[in-house]
């Protein structure tokens, strides 16, 4: 080509293009391939065929592809395009390009395969509707794609988020997982009731926070008086949450002194077993003993560094005869060990800035205690919008501790949210939740289209992953009832799947108010049998379609 380039300007230009192609291949380590693409159109009407040719040509041109209308060897190309006839394809009809460009027109093709792992969930190939077995917990860990089983789920209202989560949770439960859910919107009430009836009341426990039956806990209770470093840190974090508001910064002195006080109190109750471990006796120790010990120190601790009187005044409401004295002085801990499916519904206190974070931590601590005692069994903690109770800077350390503990004890934490503004504005979410969740699950993001660049930056999504996510539900098959979901693993593997279920499952998971009312009304008529009600309604819907 170098010698031929001297004889004509077109050869010279072609030489420059070839040099540029080779340089790019060498510089970026790109794989060179030969490719051929064709669009075959036919019609009995010559005028319609002309329109098709113009439309196809203009669409290809808009993609910056230069179309060529082939009129000579159409029969040969048609024959070669049939499966098994590639050997007859004319080589001169192909061109050199790179792998990335060669596959860009294959977006409607699929190579989804089921996972070989025995554990997983049932999803669907978005294009064909073919069922798939997908492991997003164990297999990615074994292959080194992810380093933890934690998941972060983002989907606006109406995107199918609750539906997908019900679908995932049910399948995990049926494969032996112990599930604890912290919910603020009755999303799992139907599934919990189904499990309760199926197990004849042995499982499927639904705790609802009310003033008459509040959720209570004892952070200082252990079976054997063993408090490891992580347990002590979690108690300290809980106490800091009780003391400080979201905007108050915790100083090193405050954190250190409170940690020392917790250590000293633990030593006291170990030495004197007549002291009942509880917040009440801890408060009394701080008020009567630790405060005096602070005053007697040779190196004085200034009130500006650690104001123990302010702390005691603020936490007085959790002490005996205070308005929240029931919260941290339970005579028995929440027993989560024997139940495999437990839902805590705390919607009634989500606007209470004092109770909401404390109750959320109480539930999470109860889950962590369960994890420590239940070894060799998969555990799953799912926190819906309640994560906002933990989004203050004071909670960052607790979240890191919680995620570390979950990983250590064969567990996984799943944070589910629809509030994109809260996520974008909270550095704690990125540092403590997103960075500790190697599996990211996103649903239809069209409502957040104008904010998606921020979401992309926050989650560290590539351009390929962005285009996959923005393709969700854009070309759904109208004859099938399903919602699409994007699943990304460790920043290296990602794909869009469909959640397509039977009519029975749909009625069990639905959060549509009219459908839920219809199910519960029929269940009442059938003596409270929600499963029978779902079966009847599903059959009725199938009959109406035929």
């Amino acid at each position: 080509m170098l010698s031929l380039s001297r004889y004509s300007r077109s050869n010279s230009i072609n030489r420059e293009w070839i040099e540029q192609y080779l340089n790019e291949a060498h510089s970026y380590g790109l794989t060179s391939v030969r490719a051929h693409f064709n669009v075959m159109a036919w019609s009995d009407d010559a005028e319609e065929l002309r329109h098709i040719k113009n439309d196809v040509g203009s669409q290809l041109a808009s993609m910056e592809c230069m179309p060529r209308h082939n009129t000579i060897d159409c029969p040969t190309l048609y024959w070669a395009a049939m499966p098994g006839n590639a050997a007859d394809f004319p080589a001169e009809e192909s061109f050199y390009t790179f792998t990335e460009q060669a596959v860009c027109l294959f977006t409607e093709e699929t190579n989804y395969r089921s996972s070989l792992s025995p554990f997983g969930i049932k999803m669907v190939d978005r294009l064909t509707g073919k069922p798939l077995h997908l492991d997003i917990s164990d297999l990615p860990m074994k292959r080194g794609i992810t380093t933890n089983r934690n998941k972060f789920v983002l989907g606006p209202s109406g995107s199918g988020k609750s539906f997908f989560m019900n679908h995932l949770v049910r399948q995990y439960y049926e494969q032996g997982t112990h599930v604890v859910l912290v919910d603020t919107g009755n999303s799992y009430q139907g599934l919990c009731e189904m499990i309760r009836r199926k197990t004849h009341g042995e499982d499927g426990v639904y705790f609802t926070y009310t003033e008459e039956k509040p959720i209570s806990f004892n952070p200082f209770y252990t079976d054997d008086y063993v408090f490891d470093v992580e347990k002590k840190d979690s108690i300290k974090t809980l106490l800091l949450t009780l003391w400080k508001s979201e905007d108050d910064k915790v100083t090193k002195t405050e954190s250190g002194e409170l940690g020392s006080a917790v250590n000293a109190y633990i030593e006291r109750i170990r030495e004197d077993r007549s002291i009942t471990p509880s917040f009440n006796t801890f408060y009394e120790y701080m008020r009567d003993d630790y405060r005096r010990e602070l005053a007697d120190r040779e190196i004085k601790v200034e009130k500006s560094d650690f104001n123990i009187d302010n702390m005691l005044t603020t936490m007085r409401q959790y002490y005996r005869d205070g308005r929240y004295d029931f919260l941290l002085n339970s005579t028995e801990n929440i027993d989560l060990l024997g139940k495999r499916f437990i839902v805590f519904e705390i919607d009634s206190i989500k606007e209470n800035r004092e109770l909401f974070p404390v109750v959320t931590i109480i539930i999470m601590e109860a889950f962590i205690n369960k994890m420590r005692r239940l070894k060799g069994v998969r555990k799953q903690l799912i926190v819906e919008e309640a994560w906002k109770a933990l989004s203050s800077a004071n909670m960052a350390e607790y979240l890191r501790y919680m995620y570390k503990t979950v990983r250590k004890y064969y567990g996984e934490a799943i944070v589910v949210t629809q509030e994109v503004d809260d996520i974008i504005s909270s550095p704690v979410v990125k540092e403590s939740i997103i960075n500790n969740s190697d599996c990211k699950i996103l649903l239809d993001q069209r409502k957040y289209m104008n904010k998606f660049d921020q979401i992309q930056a926050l989650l560290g999504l590539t351009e390929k992953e962005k285009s996959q996510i923005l393709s969700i539900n854009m070309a759904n098959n109208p004859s099938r009832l399903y919602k699409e979901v994007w699943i990304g693993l460790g920043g290296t593997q990602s794909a869009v799947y469909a959640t397509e279920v039977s009519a029975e499952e749909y009625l069990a998971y639905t959060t549509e108010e009219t459908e839920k009312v219809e199910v519960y009304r029929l269940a009442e008529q059938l003596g409270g049998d929600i499963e029978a009600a779902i079966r009847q309604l599903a059959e009725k819907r199938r009959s109406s379609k035929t």
Side-chain angles (χ1 to χ4, degrees):
M1 186 54 90
L2 182 63
S3 59
L4 291 173
S5 67
R6 297 172 183 169
Y7 294 99
S8 75
R9 183 166 294 278
S10 61
N11 282 351
S12 178
I13 292 170
N14 286 339
R15 172 181 164 265
E16 288 177 14
W17 283 350
I18 291 170
E19 290 291 337
Q20 188 179 347
Y21 179 85
L22 294 173
N23 288 340
E24 191 162 342
H26 177 74
S27 301
Y28 298 102
L30 301 175
T31 303
S32 185
V33 296
R34 295 193 74 145
H36 170 86
F37 305 96
N38 63 59
V39 178
M40 294 189 183
W42 61 90
S43 174
D44 295 331
D45 186 344
E47 184 62 25
E48 185 186 14
L49 201 58
R50 190 175 65 80
H51 282 302
I52 291 172
K53 185 187 83 168
N54 291 338
D55 288 345
V56 171
S58 63
Q59 290 300 315
L60 287 170
S62 70
M63 297 166 63
E64 298 183 6
C65 298
M66 189 176 292
R68 180 169 72 88
H69 185 213
N70 197 315
T71 56
I72 306 300
D73 51 359
C74 288
T76 307
L77 291 175
Y78 179 74
W79 170 258
M82 292 181 185
N85 291 351
D88 289 337
F89 176 76
E92 67 272 11
E93 290 291 344
S94 64
F95 63 93
Y96 282 103
T97 186
F98 301 123
T99 307
E100 287 80 358
Q101 285 76 20
V103 299
C104 72
L105 296 176
F106 284 85
T107 53
E108 292 302 312
E109 301 298 322
T110 177
N111 60 349
Y112 290 10
R113 291 191 301 173
S114 289
S115 300
L116 298 174
S117 168
F119 182 84
I121 58 173
K122 290 287 185 291
M123 297 298 287
V124 168
D125 184 320
R126 69 188 300 202
L127 299 175
T128 64
K130 174 189 169 186
L132 294 165
H133 173 75
L134 185 64
D135 182 357
I136 56 176
S137 289
D138 293 350
L139 199 60
M141 287 270 288
K142 287 176 184 173
R143 291 182 173 173
I145 297 166
T146 59
T147 58
N148 58 63
R149 295 178 176 84
N150 303 325
K151 297 166 181 60
F152 177 75
V153 183
L154 174 64
S157 177
S159 63
K161 170 173 52 59
S162 296
F163 194 88
F164 168 77
M165 285 306 301
N166 270 275
H167 183 60
L168 180 143
V169 166
R170 180 188 66 81
Q171 293 178 83
Y172 270 63
Y173 170 79
E174 289 180 349
Q175 293 171 85
T177 304
H178 283 241
V179 180
V180 175
L181 291 127
V182 187
D183 190 22
T184 57
N186 295 305
S187 302
Y188 303 94
Q189 191 173 9
L191 180 59
C192 190
E193 177 62 20
M194 289 277 289
I195 291 170
R196 191 185 68 79
R197 289 193 68 87
K198 216 168 186 62
T199 59
H200 306 290
E202 294 295 317
D203 210 343
V205 183
Y206 202 85
F207 286 105
T208 302
Y209 188 101
T210 62
E211 289 186 11
E212 294 75 30
K213 286 188 175 180
I215 297 166
S216 58
F217 180 65
N218 186 346
F220 295 96
Y221 173 83
T222 62
D223 292 328
D224 48 11
Y225 283 82
V226 172
F227 294 82
D228 58 20
V229 174
E230 291 170 346
K231 176 67 175 172
K232 291 175 184 177
D233 282 345
S234 74
I235 293 172
K236 182 187 75 173
T237 303
L238 174 61
L239 295 170
L240 285 170
T241 306
L242 299 177
W243 178 19
K244 296 284 185 176
S245 66
E246 287 182 19
D247 304 325
D248 287 345
K249 190 176 178 182
V250 178
T251 66
K252 281 189 176 181
T253 306
E254 290 169 338
S255 178
E257 285 296 336
L258 203 51
S260 298
V262 169
N263 278 337
Y265 171 74
I266 288 170
E267 289 305 316
R268 174 71 61 86
I269 60 175
R270 278 173 175 163
E271 291 167 6
D272 185 355
R273 298 294 175 95
S274 66
I275 301 172
T276 304
S278 67
F279 180 80
N280 282 342
T281 54
F282 173 77
Y283 185 92
E284 288 162 0
Y285 169 76
M286 290 290 290
R287 182 191 64 195
D288 302 335
D289 299 334
Y290 198 78
R291 185 165 55 167
R292 186 172 58 250
E293 190 267 320
L294 269 179
D296 294 342
R297 282 188 195 173
E298 191 174 332
I299 300 174
K300 298 296 182 187
V301 179
E302 299 296 330
K303 280 197 172 184
S304 57
D305 294 323
F306 179 60
N307 192 336
I308 191 170
D309 292 332
N310 174 268
M311 187 196 77
L312 290 167
T313 303
T314 305
M315 296 201 292
R316 175 70 183 78
Q317 59 190 327
Y318 303 101
Y319 176 61
R320 189 178 291 110
D321 297 329
R323 59 176 176 159
Y324 298 136
D325 64 347
F326 55 86
L327 266 181
L328 304 169
N329 294 292
S330 176
T331 52
E332 55 183 31
N333 263 348
I334 303 171
D335 181 22
L336 306 184
L337 201 62
K339 309 295 182 185
R340 285 206 303 115
F341 194 90
I342 304 166
V343 180
F344 290 96
E345 173 56 58
I346 53 175
D347 190 62
S348 60
I349 57 165
K350 68 181 179 183
E351 302 303 329
N352 189 316
R353 294 167 69 92
E354 293 176 328
L355 272 182
F356 192 34
V358 178
V359 172
T360 303
I361 287 184
I362 286 171
I363 295 166
M364 291 168 79
E365 272 297 302
F367 174 76
I368 288 169
N369 287 339
K370 172 175 183 163
M371 278 201 307
R372 288 197 178 104
R373 294 164 66 194
L374 201 65
K375 295 182 180 176
V377 178
R378 188 188 306 273
K379 281 86 60 178
Q380 192 177 64
L381 173 67
I382 298 164
V383 182
E384 288 262 347
E385 297 302 329
W387 68 267
K388 284 186 279 190
L390 312 171
S391 60
S392 67
N394 298 341
M395 288 293 195
E397 199 61 43
Y398 177 80
L399 282 170
R400 278 192 284 271
Y401 144 75
M402 193 269 290
Y403 273 109
K404 188 172 86 173
T405 310
V406 163
R407 186 185 185 283
K408 191 189 297 182
Y409 291 98
Y410 193 26
E412 54 186 81
I414 304 178
V415 170
V416 186
T417 187
Q418 65 181 26
E419 300 293 343
V420 72
D421 289 328
D422 291 336
I423 297 165
I424 291 169
S425 62
S426 173
V428 175
V429 173
K430 182 176 174 67
E431 291 168 16
S432 304
I433 297 176
I434 293 173
N435 289 353
N436 284 296
S437 303
D438 281 359
C439 176
K440 296 175 178 67
I441 299 171
L442 276 74
L443 292 100
D444 196 332
Q445 300 294 312
R446 278 177 286 182
K447 287 184 181 178
Y448 300 147
M449 196 72 81
N450 60 338
K451 297 176 182 175
F452 198 79
D453 287 343
Q454 292 170 280
I455 297 172
Q456 182 182 4
L458 185 72
L459 300 180
L461 303 172
T462 64
E463 286 300 314
K464 174 194 167 186
E465 290 170 333
K466 176 183 176 181
S467 63
Q468 286 178 330
I469 293 162
L470 295 181
S471 74
I472 290 174
N473 295 335
M474 295 299 280
N476 286 12
N477 187 334
S479 66
R480 291 163 49 204
L481 185 63
Y482 64 98
K483 289 279 183 77
E484 292 181 339
V485 55
W486 177 86
I487 300 175
L489 295 167
T492 59
Q493 287 187 8
S494 61
V496 177
Y497 301 91
T499 308
E500 189 170 4
V501 300
S502 65
E504 284 83 357
E505 278 185 276
Y506 174 84
L507 289 166
Y509 304 157
T510 183
T511 53
E512 182 64 40
E513 187 65 25
T514 53
E515 292 172 332
K516 284 174 77 173
V517 168
E518 188 179 11
V519 169
Y520 284 111
R521 186 180 292 134
L522 182 56
E524 278 181 31
Q525 295 171 13
L526 297 170
D529 192 340
I530 192 169
E531 195 169 342
I534 285 172
R535 267 199 230 99
Q536 282 192 25
L537 285 173
E539 193 56 45
K540 182 181 173 184
R541 290 189 174 194
R542 277 192 287 268
S543 301
S544 65
K545 288 181 181 178
T546 56

